[in-house]
């Protein structure tokens, strides 16, 4: 797996966290949420250019997440 794919997966996760954080606010900013979702979709599109098969993409993502978890320990 390439470093680029791992970085894209990490960026996708970060944006997911930002979206959840924004939605949890008392008054979520709809424009910020829209922007974050567009960025997340753009990253997902780039990922699927490298790994077009959805099942393979999930497998690659699981491997990348395990590697990040082990590296964080």
């Amino acid at each position: 797996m390439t470093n680029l794919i791992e970085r894209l997966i990490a960026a996708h996760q970060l944006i997911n966290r930002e979206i959840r954080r924004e939605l949890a606010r008392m008054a979520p900013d709809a424009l910020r949420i829209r922007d974050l979702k567009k960025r997340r979709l753009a990253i997902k599109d780039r990922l699927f250019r490298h790994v077009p098969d959805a099942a393979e993409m999930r497998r690659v993502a699981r491997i990348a997440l395990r590697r990040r978890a082990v590296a964080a320990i």
Side-chain angles (χ1 to χ4, degrees):
M1 179 176 354
T2 67
N3 191 29
L4 172 65
I5 292 173
E6 289 180 7
R7 286 194 333 251
L8 288 171
I9 291 169
H12 191 273
Q13 285 181 315
L14 180 67
I15 291 174
N16 275 338
R17 280 188 296 243
E18 287 294 318
I19 291 170
R20 283 193 304 270
R21 190 176 299 135
E22 187 65 36
L23 288 171
R25 290 181 49 196
M26 185 72 90
D29 183 349
L31 294 176
R32 177 166 161 71
I33 292 170
R34 187 189 69 196
D35 179 54
L36 289 168
K37 286 183 175 183
K38 282 184 179 183
R39 288 174 40 203
R40 181 180 63 181
L41 183 59
I43 290 170
K44 188 175 181 181
D45 288 343
R46 285 185 65 191
L47 278 167
F48 275 97
R49 273 187 246 138
H50 294 283
V51 186
D53 180 37
E56 178 67 13
M57 184 64 231
R58 284 190 295 273
R59 187 186 71 75
V60 167
R62 279 193 299 270
I63 291 169
L65 294 174
R66 276 189 232 124
R67 283 185 184 170
R68 288 179 56 86
V70 170
I73 295 176

